């Protein structure tokens, strides 16, 4: 993208901030510049956030019904999926999916709960319940 083509339409999801982008200047060099975003990006980001909110609400209902662990709710509430929670917690993805089941979550050690708590930015006591 050329430097003069960097979008500056504005994006409400950036909350007034700008983001760093790479563009080509008049001499053909790749340089960094800021962008306020553009409408298409805002639409896609808003849709993705809406989907995560819906997933969190559905997970909350599953937790209340005893079909899922509180970990599933907090994962979506913190805007994560299994892959991202796996990366931030250090657990393999198959183990994260397993811990989304209530009986496996209940068997987690305090150290394992602490790893999830740190990855999600929550205390262990908060992680073990719903808001």
């Amino acid at each position: 993208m050329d430097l003069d083509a960097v979008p500056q339409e504005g994006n409400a999801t950036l909350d007034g901030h700008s983001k760093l982008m790479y563009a080509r200047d008049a001499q053909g060099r790749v340089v960094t510049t800021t962008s306020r975003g553009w409408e298409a990006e805002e639409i896609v980001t808003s849709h993705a956030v809406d989907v995560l909110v819906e997933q969190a609400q559905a997970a909350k209902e599953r937790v209340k019904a005893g079909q899922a662990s509180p970990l599933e709710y907090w994962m979506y509430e913190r805007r994560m999926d299994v892959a991202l929670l796996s990366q931030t917690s250090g657990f393999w993805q198959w183990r994260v999916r397993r811990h989304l089941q209530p009986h496996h979550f209940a068997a987690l050690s305090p150290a394992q709960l602490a790893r999830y708590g740190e990855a999600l930015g929550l205390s262990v006591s908060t992680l073990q319940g719903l808001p």
Side-chain angles (χ1 to χ4, degrees):
M1 173 181 310
D2 290 332
L3 195 56
D4 59 348
V6 173
Q8 299 295 339
E9 296 173 17
N11 178 341
T13 60
L14 291 177
D15 197 26
H17 297 279
S18 58
K19 64 182 189 171
L20 186 66
M21 295 187 67
Y22 293 99
R24 234 174 250 295
D25 66 10
Q27 290 77 35
R29 297 175 300 196
V30 176
V31 296
T32 59
T33 187
T34 58
S35 171
R36 290 186 21 230
W38 57 99
E39 183 182 8
E41 178 185 36
E42 180 178 357
I43 291 168
V44 171
T45 302
S46 296
H47 177 68
V49 169
D50 291 345
V51 168
L52 286 167
V53 168
E54 289 171 12
Q55 288 174 322
Q57 287 303 320
K60 190 175 191 177
E61 296 305 316
R62 284 193 299 278
V63 172
K64 288 179 181 178
Q67 300 169 343
S69 73
L71 180 62
E72 183 177 351
Y73 168 76
W74 289 112
M75 175 181 71
Y76 290 129
E77 195 276 334
R78 296 295 192 189
R79 311 289 193 254
M80 292 186 177
D81 59 8
V82 170
L84 184 55
L85 183 55
S86 171
Q87 289 174 342
T88 57
S89 67
F91 289 109
W92 293 93
Q93 287 186 36
W94 69 269
R95 290 188 75 192
V96 172
R97 282 191 293 275
R98 186 175 185 191
H99 297 158
L100 299 179
Q101 299 170 15
H103 59 283
H104 290 293
F105 181 77
L108 291 176
S109 71
Q112 291 171 314
L113 289 169
R115 283 172 61 183
Y116 278 124
E118 184 177 343
L120 294 164
L122 298 168
S123 68
V124 171
S125 61
T126 302
L127 174 65
Q128 291 176 308
L130 292 174

